[in-house]
Each structure stands twice: as C-alpha cells, then as structure tokens.
Amino acid sequence: MAENQQPKRENKKPGPRRRRPGFQMRISTRYAPRKPGVGQERSCIADTTLTHQQMLELYRYLKLTRLVEERIVNLYRQTKVVGGVYRSLGQEATAVGSAYALRPDDFITPIIRDLGAVFVKGIRPREILAQYMAKAWGPSGGKDLNVHFGYLDKGFLGPISHLGDMIPVMTGILLGARLQKKDIVGLAYIGDGGASTGAFYEGMNFAAVQRLPLIVIAEYNHYAYSTPTNLQTAVRNLAERAAAFGIPGHIVDGNDVIACYEVTKQAIDYARKGRGAVLIEAKTYRRKGHAEHDDQRYVPEGEIEWWEKHNDPIDRFEKFLLDRKVTTKEKLEEITADVMREIDEDSEWAESSPMPEPEGAAYGVFDNAIVPPALRPKVLES
Ligand SMILES: Cc1ncc(C[n+]2csc(CCOP(=O)(O)OP(=O)(O)O)c2C)c(N)n1
Ligand SMILES: [Mg+2]
C-alpha cells in the first residue's frame, strides 16, 4: 500500500449481510389511509393475497376482541375485575391484521391495546377473563393483572412495560434467536407516546444496526393518556423516525384490517430474508379513555363520534366482505353468535375459578430450589 494512503479499516458489519440495504429516507405510503370519494363510505383495500376463508377468520378475531372487551367492562361494572381495564375499541384491526401475518413460532410483544394480537397467537378468552379477575386459574394465577402475562411457548411475551421497554426486550430475543440459528421474526407494538421514550430509540437502533428481524408497529391513536400526539412529538408521522435508524418506514391505515395484514406480511418477508428491522406506523384512533376510569373530558366534542360513525374497523370490514360478496350477512351473524357462545362459556369458567391461596404468592416468582433456606419466606417451609 502506498505510504500516503490511509489503511483500509476492517469494518465488518454484524448480521447476515455485509452490505447495507441502502439508507431509506422515503416512507412507503402504499397502505396509508385514503379519503373515500364524496358520498362513499370507507371500506378495505381490495389488493390482497388473503383467501375468503382467512378473511372470515380475521372477522372472527375482530369480533372476538371487541366482544371480550365488552364482557370485561361488564364484569368491571360488577366490581369483579381487579385493577384497570384497557380497551382497544376502534383499534382492533391494527393488532389482528398485523399478528395474522406471523408464523406460529414468531414472537409478539403486545401492549395494552393489542388484545387482538394475543387472540391471534392462540390465547383463549377464558384466560383473559380469569386474568382480569385475578383468579387462581388465570395465566398468572392472580399474581399480576390485566395484560401482564405471557406464554413463551406460544411466542407471546407478556408486557413488562407499556412505554418503550418491550422494544429492547424483543431486540434481545431476536439476537438470542439468531445465535440459536432460528429464523423467527419479532413483532413489537408501541404507542405514539411510548415511541417518544429513550428505550424505544435504543432498542430500534440496536435492532437496525444488527439487522435483526424486528417489526415495530407504532400505533398512532391520537392520545397518550390525555396528551394529544401533536403535543408530545413534533413529527407528523411516526414512520419518519425510520430515517433515524436507517431502516424502511411504512404508513398503514390502522383501521383497515387487510392493509394491516399486507403491510406486515411484506415487512416480515423483508425481515426474514435477513434485511433487517422495519417500522410501520398504523394510523388509528383510541375511542375509549386510557382506561375505563378515564372520562375523556380532554377530547374535543364530536371527535369520538366521527370515528365511530365513519371509521370503525369492523364496520369497514363488514362493508368490504358484503360489497365484494365474500360472504353473506347471515354468515357474519353466525360467526358473531358463535363468538358470543364462546365468551359466555369462558366467562362462566373464569367466574367459577377460585381466588388464589395467599401462600401461592410465594411460588413461581423465583426459583425456590436455589433460594438459601435462611432467605426463604416462612410459607415455603411449611
Ligand atoms: C414509566 C411509566 N410512566 C407512566 C405509565 C402510565 N402509562 C401507561 S401507558 C401510558 C400512555 C401511553 O400512551 P401511548 O404510548 O400513546 O399508548 P396508548 O395508550 O395510546 O396505546 C402511560 C402514561 C407507565 N406505565 N410507566
Ligand atoms: Mg397513543
């Protein structure tokens, strides 16, 4: 090498591909919300690979999510629920459509408005109902509440926090999976408020530079508790942040279940090929307060009603299914009745569960076998 030339730096990038896929400033808006024509009602995108059978399955998950949440509110009003109740009313399509694009061995980290994704992952309503009532037969046996539980064998990691921390956790899972030569993809959800936290940035950045197969769905639902999104971030679209990490960004109509499925499917294909992380922003709207106790007095008059009347994800999907003759009104009613039957049965099961025994609180929290006897709580010795 000539003396006046700088030595070439050994600059191997981690991850399966050496070359960066190219810095992408542009955001894909192929699946972004579109205004309907004058006098037209919103429906769903027609360009889809989903079969009719799969569409009906999606419809079932949407109804299941909405009706289970309604049942939980019902139980809450009877004071049978322990802790808060969080709704995803109006956002169901984002969670259901995106999770439906996963393989069974892929992972999700849902947050409080992603019950639909939890159902798609194979969790039954009875488990959710028992968990909300802190019953002994619930997944955490009454040790934790509402959304705070998971099933690792189903690829469903329980949320440890709602505010950004699941992004680095999922990034770590994906790094571990790579070391174990597993080709799983991780789908992490984050709110618009949570996407302004440090944990979100650190996790995204690490996943991006390691080219890990992380798909993040950022739910722009207009509020973080009582703070409107434009008062807590200066970006107009959360997807613009993809540029900060050097990864692709997409905007999707979060109330169009088909668009949510298709955009996530594309992102998954991209990530599974080893090309790296993807940020998807879902434009949607939180029609309920932060939790049931929140009376939404900070919401401008008429806003919730507008979304309910003109942009409800289930109404839109029903319109799509009927207009395109995918199915009949009777078939949709049959699916709904079947969902109701399942919820009735599961509510009965969950209500019949005992409350946990107090001693149970000492078990399953740490590995009792390795705790030195001197440190063991008295209950473990009896
Ligand atoms: C460290 C911390 N601070 C505050 C909270 C309470 N909290 C939970 S979710 C939330 C707002 C989240 O808003 P966003 O990220 O937009 O999600 P959304 O609720 O709209 O789905 C707040 C303040 C918390 N869980 N942890
Ligand atoms: Mg929000």
Side-chain angles (χ1 to χ4, degrees):
M1 190 198 301
E3 278 206 349
N4 62 351
Q5 275 182 19
Q6 229 184 335
K8 263 203 177 148
R9 251 205 296 158
E10 263 288 291
N11 192 16
K12 281 190 188 158
K13 298 274 182 195
R17 271 175 45 134
R18 293 272 158 76
R19 215 161 47 79
R20 285 190 79 81
F23 184 74
Q24 311 215 8
M25 276 298 283
R26 270 204 330 227
I27 304 165
S28 159
T29 54
R30 182 171 166 201
Y31 297 103
R34 309 250 181 273
K35 279 201 177 129
V38 180
Q40 275 181 345
E41 289 169 49
R42 282 172 182 76
S43 173
C44 296
I45 56 155
D47 183 14
T48 179
T49 51
L50 287 162
T51 63
H52 287 188
Q53 190 58 34
Q54 287 176 312
M55 288 184 200
L56 292 186
E57 209 180 354
L58 280 177
Y59 182 76
R60 191 177 193 285
Y61 282 126
L62 290 174
K63 288 297 271 200
L64 185 67
T65 309
R66 185 163 293 181
L67 295 173
V68 165
E69 287 187 1
E70 281 178 11
R71 181 59 56 94
I72 295 169
V73 172
N74 198 312
L75 294 166
Y76 178 77
R77 292 192 180 145
Q78 297 173 55
T79 67
K80 289 178 179 167
V81 164
V82 182
V85 170
Y86 304 93
R87 300 283 310 269
S88 65
L89 181 67
Q91 299 183 217
E92 297 94 337
T94 300
V96 168
S98 55
Y100 198 75
L102 293 169
R103 273 190 343 211
D105 58 336
D106 290 330
F107 265 68
I108 60 163
T109 53
I111 45 174
I112 51 183
R113 293 179 221 292
D114 303 309
L115 180 61
V118 174
F119 285 137
V120 173
K121 266 298 193 184
I123 311 307
R124 297 176 66 187
R126 60 179 51 195
E127 295 166 292
I128 307 293
L129 294 163
Q131 174 74 5
Y132 262 97
M133 290 190 278
K135 294 288 185 118
W137 297 347
S140 74
K143 285 198 185 66
D144 213 332
L145 300 172
N146 47 64
V147 299
H148 294 286
F149 73 101
Y151 279 102
L152 282 184
D153 51 347
K154 289 192 172 155
F156 154 37
L157 200 74
I160 50 167
S161 161
H162 193 66
L163 291 184
D165 299 86
M166 298 317 291
I167 308 296
V169 170
M170 182 61 103
T171 298
I173 287 180
L174 295 171
L175 188 60
R178 173 182 287 166
L179 294 173
Q180 293 169 21
K181 309 247 183 294
K182 292 181 184 158
D183 76 335
I184 61 160
V185 159
L187 182 59
Y189 296 88
I190 185 79
D192 39 19
S196 294
T197 63
F200 167 80
Y201 280 86
E202 291 171 30
M204 290 297 296
N205 186 61
F206 190 73
V209 78
Q210 291 286 336
R211 260 179 238 123
L212 290 166
L214 172 73
I215 318 291
V216 172
I217 309 277
E219 299 173 74
Y220 189 116
N221 66 358
H222 290 74
Y223 292 93
Y225 214 125
S226 55
T227 308
T229 312
N230 64 352
L231 292 186
Q232 63 86 10
T233 176
V235 290
R236 194 175 164 152
N237 303 297
L238 302 175
E240 288 164 33
R241 299 209 174 126
F245 309 116
I247 62 171
H250 297 260
I251 297 176
V252 64
D253 183 337
N255 287 16
D256 176 342
V257 71
I258 298 183
C260 290
Y261 168 81
E262 294 296 339
V263 76
T264 315
K265 179 101 188 46
Q266 280 184 14
I268 289 172
D269 291 346
Y270 175 93
R272 215 184 302 275
K273 278 186 199 141
R275 300 181 73 185
V278 182
L279 178 62
I280 300 171
E281 172 186 9
K283 300 280 191 196
T284 183
Y285 185 80
R286 192 193 76 191
R287 293 215 318 252
K288 283 289 183 179
H290 175 66
E292 271 306 291
H293 66 264
D294 171 5
D295 64 11
Q296 297 173 284
R297 71 184 70 173
Y298 48 83
V299 176
E301 215 184 305
E303 190 179 87
I304 300 166
E305 293 73 13
W306 185 88
W307 282 85
E308 182 178 6
K309 187 155 185 258
H310 301 289
N311 206 340
D312 177 77
I314 300 186
D315 288 352
R316 284 178 61 177
F317 195 37
E318 277 178 4
K319 179 172 164 49
F320 173 89
L321 294 171
L322 298 175
D323 285 357
R324 306 225 153 228
K325 304 214 177 341
V326 173
T327 190
T328 60
K329 209 166 180 314
E330 292 69 41
K331 179 70 190 159
L332 295 182
E333 282 166 4
E334 207 180 287
I335 293 173
T336 307
D338 192 54
V339 165
M340 276 312 275
R341 244 191 318 276
E342 186 180 356
I343 296 174
D344 284 342
E345 248 176 61
D346 281 19
S347 295
E348 217 171 285
W349 178 89
E351 287 214 51
S352 72
S353 161
M355 291 306 274
E357 295 294 325
E359 298 77 39
Y363 293 89
V365 178
F366 48 83
D367 183 352
N368 297 334
I370 61 165
V371 177
L375 299 178
R376 285 188 201 166
K378 278 202 161 58
V379 286
L380 292 180
E381 289 161 9
S382 58

